[in-house]
Amino acid sequence: MPDMIRPAAIIATVALLAIPAVASSQATNTILPGYWEYRSKVSYGVSSTSVEKKCVEPKDIDKFFSGPSNRHYKCTYPTRNVANGKAEFQGTCVDKRGRKAFVTASGAYSPKHFTLVAKIKTSIIGLPVTPTGSIDATWIGPTCPPKKPKKPK
């Protein structure tokens, strides 16, 4: 699929980074910083499910507030509504080759739980495709495990 932006990677990016984005204001009733377990599912013809644990530190929360992006995709979210236990994101992700994908995601959150469903609109050789993804995240606790030392090169 060389003519297509990778939808599974975009969904994973949105899903894994959306939780810290919601937590940007600790003064409101949002999620808690700490150790989280994410259960992700991506459906694009075939479904793929994964489980990952991630540490969300208070110092890291604000950098995610501008919107989920990673080194492969630059994403912008002109529509971003996060309030009263609900989250909604709509925007565009562009890869390094200029290929675009339109992203919509919505979900619900509480201090110790978050769900998000995302839909991508992109194309393969000019044909429209709309893969989907979801995440269900649960707060494990306030303390993250120690970081593993980096292996020497």
Side-chain angles (χ1 to χ4, degrees), residues 19 35-39 51-54 135-140:
I19 288 177
Y35 202 42
W36 285 79
E37 180 176 85
Y38 300 79
R39 296 184 181 279
V51 177
E52 181 179 347
K53 292 180 180 171
K54 183 174 178 150
I135 187 165
D136 184 44
T138 303
W139 188 73
I140 297 170

Side-chain angles (χ1 to χ4, degrees), residues 26-44:
Q26 293 300 315
T28 61
N29 191 25
T30 61
I31 70 158
L32 295 170
Y35 202 42
W36 285 79
E37 180 176 85
Y38 300 79
R39 296 184 181 279
S40 302
K41 182 178 180 181
V42 176
S43 298
Y44 178 65

Side-chain angles (χ1 to χ4, degrees), residues 56 90 101 119:
V56 177
Q90 292 181 8
K119 185 184 210 179

Side-chain angles (χ1 to χ4, degrees), residues 24-83:
S24 66
S25 174
Q26 293 300 315
T28 61
N29 191 25
T30 61
I31 70 158
L32 295 170
Y35 202 42
W36 285 79
E37 180 176 85
Y38 300 79
R39 296 184 181 279
S40 302
K41 182 178 180 181
V42 176
S43 298
Y44 178 65
V46 178
S47 292
S48 171
T49 303
S50 65
V51 177
E52 181 179 347
K53 292 180 180 171
K54 183 174 178 150
C55 185
V56 177
E57 297 180 24
K59 69 177 182 64
D60 295 330
I61 291 172
D62 284 340
K63 74 180 176 182
F64 293 106
F65 190 66
S66 63
S69 289
N70 67 20
R71 62 187 174 99
H72 303 289
Y73 304 97
K74 172 71 174 147
C75 302
T76 57
Y77 297 95
T79 300
R80 179 188 237 20
N81 299 309
V82 180

